[in-house]
């Protein structure tokens, strides 16, 4: 390293950045982590890494360098040291397979959820579908009803789309009077993001020939719940997809094998798994999951039906409950933001319970209706600190505070919780969920 780029320069840059406070509570300018300008300075200045000298002294030959490693396997698995990175789930009493399994966001990074960790919500277990026997029927108000085998569908032009899916019931505990205790997985784990590949629904509808008066479609699953939802024809003709692949491989059985309906940005319940039927109609079918369930209870006790997009929301994944703070100093606050109405435009972070905010850096590429990773540099002074994130999407919509959400919807609201949530970092380094 030349003198101008050397450790002296980096240390100075760190000092300057430390002074470049973006908001109260130790939040630093978002540029601090960008471009690696602080590589040496971060290590030297804050003790995040072992110093080079000490490392050189400790450079011995570890056991795994002394013998050849293990053999190849047909389908790879995560390291045995990552055995805690799993979904967590509870079954509804006496109903095997019914319930949900949650994504461990506090143990992951980036924006794509590995297939084995994508959250799952199933109303009647995971059907064991023979892909050769499965059929997709497109019928109702069409000129030509059509039946597709998986083989036939695979010959259509395909597209890929990175999209989040969030259950309408994600985070619903936060409507409660007292802050539920749990980690990001337990409280917010019913959201995941994958690259989905398949055939646009509009291609199949065009081939079937939709009647001019049609305005809705009914999607039905091949599970024993026969789970069904009505979808506006406009969405079906827009970015709706019959997804056959998930992160490059066939959709997992738990996520809809051999095909599911993908409705980017819409509540998870409508994205019918194990899809077997699309019926074109001129009115919604008023099935159970859009009448008795998945409606939005409002303040005056009436229910709002057909509230489809999941609105802008963010959660901090690091630090978060279950992760340990190792003394004061420099940390990265990082998390996920998403909006069913477009792209994330900005995320602001607060380390003083919402009194002051600083703009976080967004990881590129920022994609519409996909999870977006945000990052913020933070110099923790070792004292109590309530951490919050607030997302704004490309429509200008700003994630509301929990208080505002409840004032608007009433205390009995259940679905679509997207209020700002808070982690409190205690002086002992323990992190808990609070209402700040
Ligand atoms: N056929 C069928 N589709 C279904 C469900 C179901 O139980 N059966 N659950 C729905 C619900 S409530 C959600 S939130 C999403 C979850 O999708 P995932 O399990 O792939 O994460 O699937 C939806 N599609
Ligand atoms: Mo759901």
């Amino acid at each position: 390293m030349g003198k101008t780029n050397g450790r002296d320069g980096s240390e100075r840059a760190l000092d300057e950045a430390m002074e470049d406070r973006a908001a109260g509570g130790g939040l630093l300018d978002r540029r601090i982590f960008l471009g690696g300008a602080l590589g040496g300075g971060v290590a030297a200045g804050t003790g995040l890494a072992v110093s080079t000298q000490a490392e050189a002294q400790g450079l011995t030959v570890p056991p795994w360098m002394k013998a050849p490693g293990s053999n190849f396997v047909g389908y790879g698995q995560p390291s045995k040291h990552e055995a805690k990175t799993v979904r967590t789930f509870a079954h509804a009493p006496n109903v095997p397979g019914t319930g949900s399994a949650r994504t461990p966001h506090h143990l992951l990074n980036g924006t794509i959820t590995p297939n084995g960790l994508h959250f799952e919500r199933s109303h009647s277990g995971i059907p064991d579908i023979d892909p050769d026997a499965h059929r997709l029927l497109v019928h109702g108000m069409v000129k030509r009803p059509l039946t597709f085998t998986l083989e036939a569908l695979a010959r259509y032009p395909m597209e890929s789309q990175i999209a989040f899916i969030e259950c309408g019931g994600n985070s619903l505990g936060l409507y409660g009077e007292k802050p539920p205790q749990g980690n990001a997985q337990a409280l917010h784990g019913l959201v995941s993001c994958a690259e989905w590949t398949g055939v646009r629904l509009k291609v199949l509808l065009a081939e079937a020939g939709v009647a001019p008066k049609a305005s809705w479609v009914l999607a039905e699953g091949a599970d024993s719940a026969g789970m069904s939802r009505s979808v506006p024809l406009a969405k079906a003709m827009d970015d709706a997809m019959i997804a056959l692949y998930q992160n490059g491989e066939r959709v997992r059985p738990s996520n809809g094998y051999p095909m599911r309906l993908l409705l980017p940005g819409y509540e998870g319940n409508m994205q019918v798994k194990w899809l077997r039927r699309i019926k074109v109609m001129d009115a919604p079918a008023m099935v159970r999951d859009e009448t008795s369930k998945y409606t939005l209870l409002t303040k005056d006790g009436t229910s709002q039906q057909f509230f489809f997009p999941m609105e802008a929301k963010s959660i901090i994944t690091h630090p978060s409950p279950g992760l340990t703070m190792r003394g004061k100093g420099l940390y990265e606050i990082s998390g996920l933001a998403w909006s069913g109405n477009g792209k994330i435009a900005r995320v602001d972070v607060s380390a003083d319970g919402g009194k002051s905010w600083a703009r976080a850096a967004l990881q590129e590429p920022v994609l519409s209706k996909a999870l977006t990773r945000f990052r913020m540099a933070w110099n923790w002074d070792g004292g109590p600190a309530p951490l919050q994130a607030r997302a704004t999407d490309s429509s200008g919509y700003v994630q509301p505070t929990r208080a505002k959400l409840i004032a608007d919807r009433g205390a009995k609201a259940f679905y679509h919780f997207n209020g700002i949530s808070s982690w409190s970092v205690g002086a002992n380094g323990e992190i808990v969920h609070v209402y700040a």
Side-chain angles (χ1 to χ4, degrees):
M1 264 195 276
K3 196 148 197 201
T4 41
N5 301 327
R7 270 189 45 189
D8 288 357
S10 300
E11 271 172 1
R12 208 175 317 117
L14 178 68
D15 286 346
E16 281 165 14
M18 288 294 201
E19 279 161 22
D20 196 3
R21 292 187 201 288
L27 293 181
L28 304 177
D29 190 279
R30 69 185 187 280
R31 285 163 304 185
I32 188 171
F33 278 159
L34 298 181
L38 293 164
V42 166
T46 64
L48 293 184
V50 185
S51 88
T52 315
Q53 249 185 351
E55 196 186 317
Q57 280 162 11
L59 192 61
T60 55
V61 179
W64 47 86
M65 287 183 77
K66 291 180 181 164
S70 64
N71 220 330
F72 304 104
V73 292
Y75 197 99
Q77 297 296 316
S79 161
K80 66 177 189 223
H81 304 290
E82 300 301 321
K84 284 187 183 143
T85 306
V86 290
R87 291 179 290 214
T88 49
F89 48 88
H91 285 307
N94 307 323
V95 196
T98 299
S100 52
R102 294 158 184 268
T103 299
H105 286 299
H106 59 303
L107 302 176
L108 302 176
N109 215 312
T111 56
I112 300 291
T113 312
N115 287 343
L117 298 174
H118 196 286
F119 91 88
E120 290 173 38
R121 168 81 180 98
S122 298
H123 291 75
S124 189
I126 300 162
D128 179 14
I129 295 179
D130 173 357
D132 296 328
H134 184 81
R135 298 286 181 274
L136 173 65
L137 172 65
V138 177
H139 69 144
M141 296 173 68
V142 296
K143 272 199 209 109
R144 290 170 296 274
L146 300 170
T147 305
F148 297 91
T149 60
L150 187 60
E151 224 179 19
L153 263 188
R155 293 180 61 179
Y156 280 75
M158 294 203 209
E159 287 180 29
S160 297
Q161 187 155 349
I162 295 177
F164 77 83
I165 296 179
E166 182 180 21
C167 177
N170 195 25
S171 318
L172 67 83
L174 278 74
Y175 277 123
E177 242 170 81
K178 288 201 186 111
Q181 283 316 310
N183 58 15
Q185 177 172 27
L187 300 178
H188 307 292
L190 297 179
V191 60
S192 301
C193 185
E195 184 207 49
W196 302 94
T197 300
V199 183
R200 285 273 188 123
L201 178 53
K202 70 176 170 193
V203 173
L204 307 183
L205 289 173
E207 189 177 341
V210 172
K213 275 198 183 145
S215 51
W216 290 78
V217 304
L218 176 74
E220 182 186 67
D223 48 343
S224 66
M227 218 218 73
S228 308
R229 283 294 301 262
S230 305
V231 180
L233 184 64
K235 181 70 173 177
M237 297 299 276
D238 182 22
D239 55 0
M241 176 192 279
I242 312 295
L244 306 175
Y245 294 86
Q246 176 181 357
N247 291 329
E249 62 181 0
R250 287 283 187 189
V251 168
R252 288 283 172 101
S254 51
N255 303 108
Y257 183 88
M259 61 184 77
R260 82 171 304 157
L261 182 60
L262 182 77
L263 300 172
Y266 276 23
E267 75 180 359
N269 185 258
M270 303 173 72
Q271 315 206 26
V272 173
K273 303 191 280 189
W274 314 296
L275 185 69
R276 69 180 213 123
R277 185 158 78 107
I278 294 285
K279 185 179 184 187
V280 180
M281 303 179 304
D282 59 3
M286 297 297 180
V287 291
R288 187 191 60 177
D289 280 309
E290 59 205 23
T291 50
S292 79
K293 301 244 169 84
Y294 296 100
T295 59
L296 217 59
L297 198 61
T298 61
K299 253 193 308 203
D300 63 7
T302 59
S303 280
Q304 195 187 336
Q305 231 185 335
F306 306 129
F307 191 90
F308 299 145
M310 301 305 292
E311 294 181 288
K313 178 166 167 181
S314 61
I315 54 165
I316 292 172
T317 57
H318 308 78
S320 67
L323 303 178
T324 325
M325 305 287 289
R326 296 188 193 281
K328 61 184 185 180
L330 193 64
Y331 286 87
E332 183 182 74
I333 297 173
S334 133
L336 294 166
W338 62 96
S339 167
N341 287 311
K343 288 185 184 186
I344 287 299
R346 65 183 285 165
V347 176
D348 295 276
V349 171
S350 173
D352 55 16
K355 282 193 222 92
S356 65
W357 297 87
R359 190 168 183 167
L362 300 184
Q363 177 67 59
E364 296 286 344
V366 175
L367 301 172
S368 181
K369 304 169 189 176
L371 293 189
T372 299
R373 173 73 52 183
F374 62 87
R375 305 177 189 282
M376 178 86 214
W378 179 43
N379 188 27
W380 184 41
D381 67 6
L387 302 180
Q388 301 182 329
R390 181 181 68 197
T392 303
D393 71 18
S394 48
S395 77
Y397 174 92
V398 182
Q399 182 182 4
T401 61
R402 177 179 170 277
K404 174 158 193 322
L405 197 67
I406 289 175
D408 288 351
R409 292 188 185 164
K412 288 200 173 138
F414 189 79
Y415 292 111
H416 287 246
F417 181 94
N418 71 320
I420 291 170
S421 57
S422 315
W423 303 134
S424 177
V425 179
N428 59 359
E430 200 196 333
I431 306 156
V432 293
H433 175 225
V434 294
Y435 291 159

